[in-house]
Amino acid sequence: MLTDAEPVLRRDPIMERLIEAHEPYVEPDWSEYERLCISIINQQLSTASAMAVRERVFELLEGEVTPETVLAAEDDALRDAGLSRSKIEYMRNAARAFQENDYTRDALADYSDEEVIDLLTEIKGIGEWTANMYLLFVLERPDVLPLGDLAVRRGIEQLYGDGEPDEMTPAEMREIAEAWRPYRSVATRYIWAEYEAESPAVL
């Protein structure tokens, strides 16, 4: 994807600098359900807190984060690992949905991004931000711009604005990102890489 995206992104001088300075942000090769659970854990938590909870939950489940292990786990154990009651419910809602439906890349290949978001947000506890993370990291869609992500917004403000929080509107950010189409996902990965370099362990 980067090979195709690079000539487009380099037309933006700031993005060209990021390409020269960083490798795009990448994650481990999580399974589809694991990555959805990670997004649920990350909801409304600082990065450090989310990472600590994720490690405890994964340790509790002995590294096997599947619909079956989540449904079988004791509530008290999951709460002791740091999950709120609502997040336990959300992870179990997702587990039952995964048992009933196929959310793999192949199964969703013919769905548009909007259709995937509509499908995932039918699961209680899955909002648009979580669905966008799924599009970007699991389905690897090329043109996702997750402005619901704080690090993306802060990164754009630092790179293209005066760096002050909430100085740029979402409309202004989308206008900037028009230059990155149809590879806004790749651009987002570079923004994360830059933001992580400036503020380690923010993602």
Side-chain angles (χ1 to χ4, degrees), residues 61-200:
L61 300 176
E62 299 180 345
E64 293 293 327
V65 182
T66 66
E68 293 71 28
T69 60
V70 168
L71 290 171
E74 297 289 337
D75 282 13
D76 288 346
L78 291 170
R79 285 199 295 271
D80 288 344
L83 291 176
S84 65
R85 292 179 187 275
S86 60
K87 288 188 178 181
I88 294 171
E89 178 189 358
Y90 298 161
M91 287 174 62
R92 287 182 172 160
N93 290 342
R96 285 185 282 269
F98 266 69
Q99 288 180 329
E100 295 169 2
N101 300 291
D102 189 346
Y103 297 100
T104 61
R105 188 181 306 159
D106 288 343
L108 298 177
D110 293 332
Y111 285 66
S112 69
D113 291 355
E114 293 74 17
E115 288 171 334
V116 171
I117 291 171
D118 288 344
L119 184 67
L120 290 174
T121 53
E122 289 177 358
I123 305 169
K124 184 179 178 183
I126 307 302
E128 186 170 348
W129 174 80
T130 303
N132 272 313
M133 294 302 102
Y134 200 84
L135 283 170
L136 210 156
F137 288 112
V138 175
L139 304 184
E140 297 183 341
R141 296 293 174 89
D143 198 36
V144 180
L145 180 68
L147 291 182
D149 188 84
L150 180 62
V152 172
R153 295 199 307 275
R154 293 290 181 264
I156 293 174
E157 286 169 341
Q158 290 176 3
L159 290 163
Y160 293 88
D162 57 15
E164 291 298 320
D166 303 319
E167 286 294 314
M168 295 180 69
T169 67
E172 289 171 329
M173 293 181 188
R174 282 191 289 270
E175 184 176 352
I176 288 167
E178 281 297 308
W180 311 332
R181 283 185 182 273
Y183 301 109
R184 291 180 297 176
S185 296
V186 183
T188 294
R189 289 176 181 269
Y190 278 106
I191 291 168
W192 272 322
E194 170 75 2
Y195 192 70
E196 187 179 42
E198 294 296 323
S199 307

Side-chain angles (χ1 to χ4, degrees), residues 12-111:
D12 177 337
I14 292 174
M15 197 57 60
E16 182 174 36
R17 177 176 66 78
L18 299 189
I19 291 171
E20 294 294 334
H22 305 290
E23 293 295 323
Y25 175 78
V26 296
E27 289 192 335
D29 188 21
W30 309 109
S31 73
E32 290 93 341
Y33 180 69
E34 277 181 316
R35 187 57 181 82
L36 190 60
C37 285
I38 290 167
S39 291
I40 292 170
I41 291 169
N42 289 350
Q43 291 171 2
Q44 298 180 327
L45 286 181
S46 70
T47 300
S49 296
M51 187 177 298
V53 172
R54 184 182 79 197
E55 288 176 355
R56 291 195 296 269
V57 170
F58 276 50
E59 182 177 357
L60 171 68
L61 300 176
E62 299 180 345
E64 293 293 327
V65 182
T66 66
E68 293 71 28
T69 60
V70 168
L71 290 171
E74 297 289 337
D75 282 13
D76 288 346
L78 291 170
R79 285 199 295 271
D80 288 344
L83 291 176
S84 65
R85 292 179 187 275
S86 60
K87 288 188 178 181
I88 294 171
E89 178 189 358
Y90 298 161
M91 287 174 62
R92 287 182 172 160
N93 290 342
R96 285 185 282 269
F98 266 69
Q99 288 180 329
E100 295 169 2
N101 300 291
D102 189 346
Y103 297 100
T104 61
R105 188 181 306 159
D106 288 343
L108 298 177
D110 293 332
Y111 285 66

